[in-house]
């Protein structure tokens, strides 16, 4: 495979051949139905008996079987041609993008993929900021070579698959009903051919950055983008860097597939039942939001773990302000079609009301398994651990990087928002290598972030905002060193029971036991403390008990509504108007 062959190829002709084979298969199917009804069934039901009748029926039945086998054989050729054509389109797009960059950079590319460039000028040799042309040239050469290699591999595999059908035609195996039945579905076909999915192999690998994914997607022809969306929705919809409209379209297809799959199964586990309930709730939510403003977009959907979803109000690719909210303790997938979607929508409204001149996208993101602490169970212990926050932090970091990569024009003002254990997850994402591309970070009802100082979250402390209701027991969780007090409080909290009792017991035990550092929480320094160095915004004290932990989106009058309005000001870029509250 050389550059002119791939660059100038016309994969559309293969798509045309696939359509022709599909039409031929449909025509053979029509002929088979006519034969069966007009000849085979008529003779079989004629009442004719005897040796001649038996022989005739056997002969006619064999012909019917051959027609059915031929139809199945021909029907499988079209997908082979389409898959090969799509693989060629993907490789061709990679090649053309690399060639365009080479031409723009002044590189010379030979037909076999070799690359050269003029020697650096005297100015370039003495300029420490001059581009490393050798490194760039090597990178371009590798990308061109990879595109040619993918195309050659797709060509070889497609030829091998088609050769099998040629052999079947020559030997007569293609007219054998038993052979046709054995190869009935694509899974068996892949096992039979020993070949991988060429289209998936042609996509950027999982280590590709969202910026690379976005560049790859934009290089594809529009019709190829639509084919990938319709045929590979799971891979396209959840890929960071793919533009929002494409992700939304693919994920709605995938959502319907997930609901249909789970609905058809009889052996659902309890979490499968919860996921089915949640996916149906999201379906209903999207249906209810159809045609309303702001428009809703489904940015993530998946059945991994407890379920994955992200719903956006407003298009984050075009919005001036974008906020991505991470919920915490006891969040289930159904909440993404209910309360957490309401919170995202309410925050959009708050930001919009504060500054209608700016466009906003508000996202509720559940890309991890939030700890479940309903009664005593192994899951309940996860609320005290950091593993889920670390895993979620990695996924959240990639999601935000994807939002940056797919945004059009000037970068949006991006806010990361975490509530409860979700604030710990945001904190873990912010402390990963490379951090998160956020301009502001909001932490509400936080048990800590794993950091001792706001500056450890990758932004200046003046852009880390904290909402901590005085009666929210989660924002008073004791440190590990103070856990001895929980034993005292447990007896009291046990009278309440459940999550409120467990958390309230810890709160009371902390107060009874006393401690060395009054601002050390379970997951590090109290974000609302002076030592942490963030900006605390005003929220109502809230009612006594666990209800205060979920009161940050309260839209009441007076101070009760300060929390949501303050968050709307931060999201819309008006932090100077935030009503503050003294740090602890």
């Amino acid at each position: 495979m050389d550059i002119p062959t791939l660059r100038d190829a016309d994969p559309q002709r293969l798509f045309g051949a696939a359509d022709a084979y599909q039409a031929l298969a449909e025509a053979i199917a029509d002929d088979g139905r006519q034969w069966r009804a007009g000849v085979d069934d008529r003779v079989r039901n004629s009442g004719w008996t005897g040796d001649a009748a038996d022989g005739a029926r056997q002969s006619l039945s064999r012909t019917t079987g051959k027609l059915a086998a031929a139809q199945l054989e021909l029907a499988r050729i079209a997908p082979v041609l389409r898959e090969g054509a799509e693989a060629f389109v993907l490789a061709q797009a990679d090649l053309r993008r690399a060639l365009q960059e080479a031409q723009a950079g002044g590189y010379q590319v030979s037909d076999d993929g070799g690359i050269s460039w003029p020697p650096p000028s005297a100015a370039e040799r003495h300029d420490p900021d001059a581009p490393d042309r050798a490194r760039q040239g090597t990178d371009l050469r590798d990308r061109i070579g990879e595109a040619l290699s993918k195309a050659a591999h797709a060509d070889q595999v497609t030829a091998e698959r088609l050769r099998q059908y040629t052999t079947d035609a020559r030997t007569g195996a293609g007219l054998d009903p038993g052979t046709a039945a054995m190869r009935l579905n694509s899974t068996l076909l892949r096992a039979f051919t020993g070949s991988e999915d060429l289209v998936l192999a042609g996509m950027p690998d999982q280590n590709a950055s969202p910026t690379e994914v976005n560049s790859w997607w934009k290089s594809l022809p529009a019709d190829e983008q639509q084919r990938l969306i319709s045929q590979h929705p799971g891979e396209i919809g959840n890929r960071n860097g793919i533009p929002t409209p494409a992700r939304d379209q693919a994920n709605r297809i995938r959502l319907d597939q997930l609901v249909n799959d789970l609905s058809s199964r009889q052996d659902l586990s309890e979490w499968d039942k919860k996921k089915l309930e949640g996916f149906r709730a999201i379906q209903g939510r999207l249906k209810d939001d159809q045609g309303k403003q702001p428009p809703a977009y489904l940015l993530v959907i998946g059945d991994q773990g407890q379920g994955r979803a992200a719903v956006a109000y407003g298009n984050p690719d075009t919005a001036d302000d974008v906020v991505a909210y991470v919920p915490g303790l006891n969040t289930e997938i159904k909440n993404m079609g209910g309360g957490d979607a309401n919170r995202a929508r309410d925050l959009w409204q708050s930001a919009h009301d504060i500054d209608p001149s700016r466009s906003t996208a508000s996202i509720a993101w559940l890309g991890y398994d939030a700890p479940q602490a309903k009664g005593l169970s192994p899951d309940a212990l996860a609320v005290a651990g950091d593993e889920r926050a670390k895993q979620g932090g990695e996924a959240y970091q990639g999601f935000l990087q994807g939002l940056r990569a797919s945004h059009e024009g000037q970068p949006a003002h991006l806010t990361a928002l975490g509530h409860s254990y979700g604030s710990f997850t945001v904190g873990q994402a912010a402390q990963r290598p490379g951090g998160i591309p956020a301009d502001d970070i909001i932490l509400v009802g936080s048990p800590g972030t794993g950091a001792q100082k706001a500056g450890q979250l990758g932004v200046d402390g003046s852009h880390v905002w904290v909402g901590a209701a005085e009666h929210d027991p989660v924002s008073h969780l004791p440190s590990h060193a103070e856990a001895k007090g929980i034993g005292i409080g447990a007896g009291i909290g046990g009278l309440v029971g459940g999550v409120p009792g467990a958390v309230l017991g810890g709160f009371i035990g902390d107060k009874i036991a006393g401690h060395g550092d009054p601002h050390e929480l379970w997951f590090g320094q109290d974000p609302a403390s002076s030592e942490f160095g963030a900006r605390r915004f005003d929220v109502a004290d809230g009612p006594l008990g666990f209800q205060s932990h979920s009161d940050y989106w309260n839209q009441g009058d007076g101070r009760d509504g300060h929390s949501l309005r303050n968050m709307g000001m931060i999201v819309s870029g008006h932090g100077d108007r935030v009503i503050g509250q003294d740090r602890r």
Side-chain angles (χ1 to χ4, degrees):
M1 182 69 65
D2 58 20
I3 286 176
T5 300
L6 178 56
R7 180 193 61 208
D8 303 331
D10 183 10
Q12 294 302 322
R13 298 175 66 178
L14 280 179
F15 286 116
D19 292 341
Y21 269 102
Q22 182 174 337
L24 181 59
E26 292 171 354
I28 291 292
D30 288 339
D31 290 343
R33 284 190 290 269
Q34 292 180 25
W35 165 267
R36 187 167 52 252
V39 180
D40 194 0
D41 289 350
R42 181 172 295 181
V43 171
R44 189 177 305 280
N45 299 323
S46 66
W48 184 21
T49 61
D51 292 341
D54 293 340
R57 279 194 290 270
Q58 291 175 6
S59 177
L60 295 176
S61 179
R62 284 194 295 271
T63 300
T64 300
K66 289 180 179 180
L67 285 170
Q71 186 272 326
L72 290 173
E73 191 88 344
L74 289 170
R76 285 193 293 266
I77 294 177
V80 169
L81 290 170
R82 288 197 182 97
E83 185 174 334
E86 286 189 32
F88 296 146
V89 169
L90 297 180
Q92 189 179 64
D94 289 345
L95 174 65
R96 289 178 174 174
R97 187 169 65 252
L99 292 177
Q100 289 171 356
E101 293 179 22
Q103 182 179 23
Y107 294 91
Q108 299 295 321
V109 183
S110 61
D111 288 349
D112 64 358
I115 191 166
S116 61
W117 56 92
S121 65
E124 289 176 328
R125 285 197 301 270
H126 294 89
D127 182 1
D129 296 325
D132 185 345
R133 295 182 66 80
R135 182 187 59 78
Q136 292 178 349
T138 300
D139 178 64
L140 287 168
R141 182 194 62 200
D142 291 346
R143 287 169 55 194
I144 290 170
E146 185 177 1
L148 295 176
S149 178
K150 287 181 178 179
H153 179 66
D155 181 60
Q156 178 185 6
V157 171
T158 302
E160 289 174 354
R161 292 176 178 177
L162 294 175
R163 192 175 296 117
Q164 183 61 58
Y165 292 111
T166 302
T167 301
D168 286 351
R170 185 182 303 113
T171 62
L175 297 178
D176 177 56
T179 301
M182 182 187 69
R183 305 175 191 168
L184 184 58
N185 60 58
S186 59
T187 301
L188 288 177
L189 177 61
R190 293 207 184 285
F192 170 71
T193 61
S195 300
E196 76 278 19
D197 189 316
L198 295 175
V199 178
L200 295 182
M203 296 181 186
D205 63 41
Q206 292 303 310
N207 294 324
S209 70
T211 300
E212 292 171 326
V213 172
N214 184 258
S215 178
W216 164 79
W217 181 260
K218 289 183 176 179
S219 72
L220 299 178
D223 54 353
E224 180 61 18
Q225 292 175 350
Q226 286 301 310
R227 278 192 292 268
L228 291 175
I229 288 171
S230 62
Q231 297 178 23
H232 298 276
E235 289 76 18
I236 299 303
N238 294 321
R239 196 68 192 266
N240 295 322
I242 300 292
T244 290
R247 292 183 73 160
D248 176 65
Q249 185 181 350
N251 281 331
R252 288 175 189 250
I253 295 172
R254 183 60 181 151
L255 175 60
D256 291 342
Q257 291 174 346
L258 290 171
V259 170
N260 291 337
D261 175 61
L262 288 171
S263 299
S264 66
R265 288 167 47 189
Q266 302 297 319
D267 58 339
L268 296 182
S269 66
E270 286 305 309
W271 268 111
D272 285 336
K273 293 176 182 178
K274 289 182 178 182
K275 284 188 279 191
L276 178 57
E277 177 188 8
F279 293 148
R280 283 173 170 164
I282 294 171
Q283 275 185 327
R285 180 81 184 211
L286 294 174
K287 182 178 180 181
D288 291 343
D289 288 334
Q290 193 72 32
K292 296 180 181 179
Q293 291 297 323
Y297 297 91
L298 186 60
L299 297 182
V300 174
I301 197 70
D303 61 353
Q304 306 97 307
Q306 298 170 5
R308 304 285 187 265
V311 177
Y313 285 96
N315 185 350
D317 290 354
T318 59
D320 299 315
D321 301 303
V322 178
V323 56
Y325 149 61
V326 183
L329 179 65
N330 287 335
T331 303
E332 296 179 7
I333 191 69
K334 67 180 180 182
N335 300 117
M336 301 305 288
D340 286 314
N342 291 340
R343 289 178 172 181
R345 178 64 175 75
D346 290 345
L347 187 51
W348 179 93
Q349 190 67 58
S350 177
H352 175 74
D353 290 345
I354 288 165
D355 191 346
S357 70
R358 297 178 62 82
S359 57
T360 303
S362 181
I363 305 164
W365 179 89
L366 184 62
Y368 77 117
D369 290 336
Q372 306 295 310
K374 298 176 180 177
L376 294 176
S377 70
D379 263 351
L381 301 178
V383 72
D386 61 5
E387 189 59 32
R388 296 191 185 202
K390 288 181 177 179
Q391 293 174 352
E394 181 179 3
Y396 185 65
Q397 179 190 46
F399 180 73
L400 294 188
Q401 290 171 342
L403 295 181
R404 278 288 194 227
S406 62
H407 193 271
E408 302 170 9
Q410 292 294 318
H413 168 239
L414 180 59
T415 301
L417 167 60
H419 171 242
S420 185
Y421 191 88
S423 69
F424 181 39
T425 302
V426 170
Q428 293 298 291
Q431 294 172 82
R432 287 181 53 77
I436 56 177
D439 301 293
D440 285 282
I441 295 175
I442 302 175
L443 311 168
V444 291
S446 179
T449 63
Q452 294 301 108
K453 297 288 184 181
Q456 294 176 251
L457 302 183
V459 298
D460 187 88
S462 63
H463 288 277
V464 178
W465 306 83
V466 178
E470 280 305 303
H471 294 158
D472 178 358
V474 173
S475 71
H476 293 281
L477 280 177
S479 69
H480 291 264
E482 303 153 18
K484 60 182 180 179
I486 295 179
I488 300 174
I492 301 173
L495 298 176
V496 179
V499 175
V503 178
L504 187 60
F507 175 44
I508 295 172
D510 172 46
K511 297 301 182 183
I512 294 174
H515 43 70
D517 184 349
H519 301 307
E520 186 74 14
L521 300 184
W522 190 263
F523 294 119
Q525 190 69 222
D526 180 0
S529 70
S530 299
E531 288 87 344
F532 191 73
R535 297 176 67 178
R536 188 181 183 189
F537 59 87
D538 188 41
V539 303
D541 292 345
L544 288 171
F546 200 72
Q547 181 183 341
S548 296
H549 185 55
S550 301
D551 228 20
Y552 295 96
W553 277 261
N554 192 303
Q555 297 185 76
D557 296 328
R559 193 179 172 212
D560 285 345
H562 281 186
S563 178
L564 183 60
R565 286 195 297 273
N566 279 330
M567 288 193 290
M569 290 176 191
I570 297 165
V571 168
S572 61
H574 293 284
D576 57 321
R577 294 167 53 187
V578 167
I579 301 172
Q581 187 174 3
D582 290 340
R583 297 166 177 167
R584 291 173 178 165

